[in-house]
Amino acid sequence: MAIRRLLTRSLNRSAALTAAVILLLIALVACGGETSDSRDADAITVSDQWVKAADSGMTAAFATLHNSSDRDIRIVSAHTAAARTTEMHEVVDNGTGGTTMRQKDGGFVIPAKGSVNLTPGSEHFMLMELPKPITTGQNVAFTIRFEDGSTVGFQALARDFDGNQENYAPDGEHEGMGK
Amino acid sequence: MTPPLVSRRAVLVGGAGLAGLGIGAATVGLTREPDVAPGSGTLPFYGARQSGITTPPTAHAQYIGLDLVDPADVPTLQGVLNLWTQDAARLTQAQPSLSDTEPELATLAGNLTATVGVGDRIFRAPALTRLRPSWLQPLPSFSIDRLDPRWGQTDLLLSLASDDPVVLAHATRMLTASVRRSVRVRWVQRGFRNSPGMTTGTMRNLFGQVDGTVQPASDTYDNLLWDDGAEQSWMADGTSLVLRRISMNMDTWEAIDRRGRELSMGRTLDTGAPLTGTDEFDDPVFSATRGGIPVIPASSHIARAHRRHDREQFLRRAYNYDDPPEPGSADTSNSGLLFAAYQRNPVTQYVPVQQRLADHDDLNTWTTPIGSAVYAMLPGATESRPLGASLFDAAGRGSGGAPQK
Ligand SMILES: [Cu+2]
């Protein structure tokens, strides 16, 4: 759907405009009464996406994912050529007064007619083992895959940012977020 | 309290009338509409031309001079401009930036504008060399200059303006933090005018002078201000900025009596009228004499600054500064003017006037240029065309953002 593509690709968009377009999108879907969002990918819009610039190691990407359909939609995997592997993470209390990040069981679920906000300190895409630095303003392409096999692509600009520093222990070992 | 609203309307009408008479009354400073609620005003970010040049000046301004860590790294320059587009498009519309860690400071914009220019050094990158506007070079040195390299030319200029200093500080933080590994802040020059609603019309500088009376009429902007792309097609709808930091010595200025101060300027201090007139916008009559002596001294500021050609015009958009005295200085104050002149071509429009003032201007006794820089102010951005898109198109790089390296 053209509106969705526009939404996904445009880098600079006001929240108000986003809301307006989403409303329009919902209106179109409602009026059409057709199953244009039968594929998971057709129901998902990605906005406000960005990635944290990093010289090496790990980094993270953030976005708002909106689901216009009336069913929950699950992301089963994410991919970018800027990292060897891309995981879906959540941040939880570590039981000793701090927080730690870990892989989210089953991936992110975007609720029906709802959104998931991926932000520093909460859920995020985790980019593991960067083969090359991700530098200021670099445009990084991502693909996310849903349960039914359909995919959505988006591009995110890299920003210099030092947040989202929670420890991650993929093998039981604590490592800082790479910079 | 609503009286300011009424008086502003009156001023608006007055301004239009003067312009209609061809007096060339300043449109900058007269067209300001009050915000419905304090701080609620927004100015557009997207448009063919950048906001913050002909839009009404706000109470506070911040000029930020930055250098690229690697001035030859064109992809990163493009990435920085893409990020600034992304951030400024949100912050100016009272929305937090994407990586905003203090979003509560972004809920009002106070007419925030973010205006971006580039300095000559970025054009040393081979991909950009042939795209440098011929006028984008250091100004000739003037005999009156006492330039401090501390306020000198930088690779990039971020000119931010808002009615609120907290908004300005937050916008500065967001726009510089998100690019800080690739760009270094070299200087920040902070300026101010009266607070919103306090005055109407032309601003006053800290000498008490009405400052910025002579402005090109708005119907000449397409000719005198905005670039037409004739020399560098990518510059169409851009312009140039000469930013001069002019120190004003309050101690010696105040040692002169009021009449002497008015003679040095050629205008009265109360209304800003030329010494031959009664209204600020009266045309000065330089030939008028009294007892054989010119009413407006030929050596006065307005006599020297008065244009000799139609091209010798530029948009003045000055802000006061009032910084702490330098340690060890005998001066009571460290005050002056951030003098911003916008024009299509600084070499043909600004330099002849500045040369005349350098050769002689009675005001030079109390004023000293201590900073100078020239920037190509980019054409405006749109949702699909970030700042600098026309430059990178012309360089064969496309406008879709920095590709992955
Ligand atoms: Cu993580």
Side-chain angles (χ1 to χ4, degrees), chain A residues 12 132 136 139 159-160 162, chain B residues 46 87 180-182 405:
Chain A
N12 313 294
K132 282 182 290 189
T136 315
N139 210 355
R159 315 172 69 86
D160 292 333
D162 287 341
Chain B
Y46 291 124
D87 284 349
R180 66 183 181 270
R181 299 219 179 108
S182 298
K405 285 184 280 191

Side-chain angles (χ1 to χ4, degrees), chain B residues 356-379:
Chain B
R356 259 198 317 277
L357 295 175
D359 292 343
H360 191 92
D361 171 1
D362 287 345
L363 277 186
N364 289 345
T365 308
W366 306 282
T367 62
T368 310
I370 57 172
S372 185
V374 184
Y375 299 96
M377 302 304 287
L378 300 170

Side-chain angles (χ1 to χ4, degrees), chain A residues 10-17 48-50 53 81-82 132 135-141 157-162 179, chain B residues 46 76 79-80 82-83 85-87 89-90 95 97-99 101 177-182 383 400-405:
Chain A
S10 173
L11 294 177
N12 313 294
R13 166 186 350 96
S14 72
L17 181 64
D48 296 354
Q49 66 273 19
W50 61 283
K132 282 182 290 189
T135 57
T136 315
Q138 188 178 322
N139 210 355
V140 181
L157 290 183
R159 315 172 69 86
D160 292 333
F161 183 83
D162 287 341
K179 280 200 275 182
Chain B
Y46 291 124
T76 294
V80 167
N82 287 346
L83 285 174
T85 304
Q86 198 173 54
D87 284 349
R90 300 174 69 98
Q95 292 159 21
S97 78
L98 286 185
S99 52
T101 37
S178 63
V179 300
R180 66 183 181 270
R181 299 219 179 108
S182 298
E383 287 209 50
Q404 283 180 257
K405 285 184 280 191

Side-chain angles (χ1 to χ4, degrees), chain A residues 89 101 124 126:
Chain A
H89 278 192
M101 57 174 66
H124 54 271
M126 193 78 191

